[in-house]
Amino acid sequence: MSNTAESTVKRPLRVAIVGAGPAGVYAADILTKSNEVKDGDFEVSIDLFEAYPAPYGLIRYGVAPDHPRIKGIVNALHKVLDRGDIRFLGNVTYGRDLTLHDFRAFYDAVIFSTGAIKDADMDIPGIGLEGSFGAADFVSWYDGHPDVSREWPLDAKEIAVIGNGNVALDVARMLVKHADELLVTEIPDNVYQGLKNSPVTDVHVFGRRGPAQVKFTPLELRELSHARDVDIVLYPEDFEFDEASDDAIRSNNQTKTMVNTMTNWLVEEHAEAEQPSSRRLHLHFLHSPVEIYDEGGSGKVAGIKFERMQLDGTGNVKGTGEFIDYPVQAVYRAIGYHGSALDELEYDAKRGVIPNEGGRVLDADGNPVPGIYTTGWIKRGPVGLIGHTKGDALETIGFLLEDRLTLPPAQNPDPQAIIDLLEERGVEYTTWEGWNKLNAHEAALGASWTEAAEADGGVARERIKVVPREEMIQISRA
């Protein structure tokens, strides 16, 4: 019998999960509900760590606040953490407050689910000009991330968004939507004021390939048409379909739905509108970005140049040698997220992931590191929808369960020991009880707004997000 089997036979298996977004919560939930635990083979004790004072990760800080399905996901995650069998410890940063050595001392296994929050690089001239932004940074701003500036320069009338995924549509929709429509969401007051004062008239979304190759989903596409006083503009020359496109439309219902939706919009566009909208959202396809340029050496974005592309029969594209300039004063690149390196773990800089096999973290020689696992976007890269992380977590937990009798045992498995260490180091950690306090406080802010607004016939608000980290901590630890 191994050391771990001997040392854990009379105590629960201690597991730390670093990252309390959907991937981390799913992993914790799957482990607690595994057959091995339900059948009484062993008990498990899980601590869920989060760098921010509040849980939910991507759901709170990485998704547009007007997505209708977010509330349902939050409710599901809340039910898991509210059961009381998973301990939440927020405002604890890996590599600063706790090291890998610390985790190994207090836990038999560690699962990293830190996600991917940085923008993927785009290497074209002018990418560093003033007015050129990463979509992830903008998302962090409008989602009230506690570690980003509360200000955002919204002074452009014409804006380019590069990318054909859901994030590109989120960014475009948030830029073009009238701020008053967002009052029903939890956006912070500074975000509402910033968007309300935006002079934007036109937002252009550009994709390299054709309408049948887009990466967004029907729900996100349809949400574009729900914005009040916003016209959707499409261009007949962009609706080019090759043999691979036709195959995709015939064989994939999602592709068929999106192409039909856009084609209908294209036809309806020619109908005479009673009154033109004050803002326009343009969808462009077969455009490959070549250069962002300024004017007269100003250092500020003045426009963006694209090469027209054409489909090559396989669904891929090739250049035509034709170039088009669009005058814009801001450019947002939404070409994907990239994971960040973690102290004391190997890192694949090209893919932005922790090298792993099915969730077992690998060392520099490609061998599994005993007791160390990963799940979510930091495991497989930032692809797929939130629900796909359940499959990731299931695979990772399956390997952890296989390994449970050979894990390196924790030196101090007492659950109180990690709390004592955090307090000794002066870490102002937050708890699930603290999150409930902060949750109630944000709901109360919404109720106060609603009470004042109703007197003037204004919009009711369910909640208003608290932004400053210090305030979140103070409310949570009160």
Side-chain angles (χ1 to χ4, degrees), residues 58 62 115-122 133-137 139 161-169 171 206 215 332-339 350-352 377 381-384:
L58 174 71
I117 60 172
K118 291 185 177 180
D119 284 291
D121 290 333
M122 174 178 279
F133 307 106
D137 292 334
V139 172
V161 178
I162 303 172
N164 254 178
N166 286 337
V167 175
L169 292 194
V171 167
F206 295 95
K215 296 297 184 183
Y332 291 75
R333 67 184 185 278
I335 58 171
Y337 287 99
H338 203 72
K350 185 176 181 180
R351 297 179 58 220
W377 279 5
V383 292

Side-chain angles (χ1 to χ4, degrees), residues 161-164 205-210 284-288 309:
V161 178
I162 303 172
N164 254 178
V205 181
F206 295 95
R208 287 186 71 252
R209 298 199 288 170
H284 302 269
F285 304 101
L286 301 170
H287 281 66
S288 181
M309 310 301 284

Side-chain angles (χ1 to χ4, degrees), residues 104-116:
R104 282 196 172 284
F106 296 102
Y107 299 92
D108 305 300
V110 186
I111 303 172
F112 288 91
S113 57
T114 51

Side-chain angles (χ1 to χ4, degrees), residues 48 57 81 121 128 206 213 229 254 301 304 313 315 322 325 328 331 351 373 414 422 431 456 458:
L48 185 62
L81 295 180
D121 290 333
F206 295 95
Q213 287 80 40
D229 190 35
Q254 178 167 297
V301 171
I304 182 168
E322 177 189 351
D325 286 353
V328 296
V331 175
R351 297 179 58 220
Y373 302 86
D414 182 353
L422 291 172
T431 64
D456 302 322

Side-chain angles (χ1 to χ4, degrees), residues 87-142:
R87 184 167 64 174
F88 172 74
L89 295 170
N91 199 42
V92 180
T93 300
Y94 173 76
R96 184 190 68 192
D97 300 320
L98 293 175
T99 66
L100 186 61
H101 175 79
D102 295 325
F103 279 110
R104 282 196 172 284
F106 296 102
Y107 299 92
D108 305 300
V110 186
I111 303 172
F112 288 91
S113 57
T114 51
I117 60 172
K118 291 185 177 180
D119 284 291
D121 290 333
M122 174 178 279
D123 186 19
I124 62 171
I127 198 70
L129 288 173
E130 183 180 339
S132 173
F133 307 106
D137 292 334
F138 182 57
V139 172
S140 292
W141 175 76
Y142 67 59

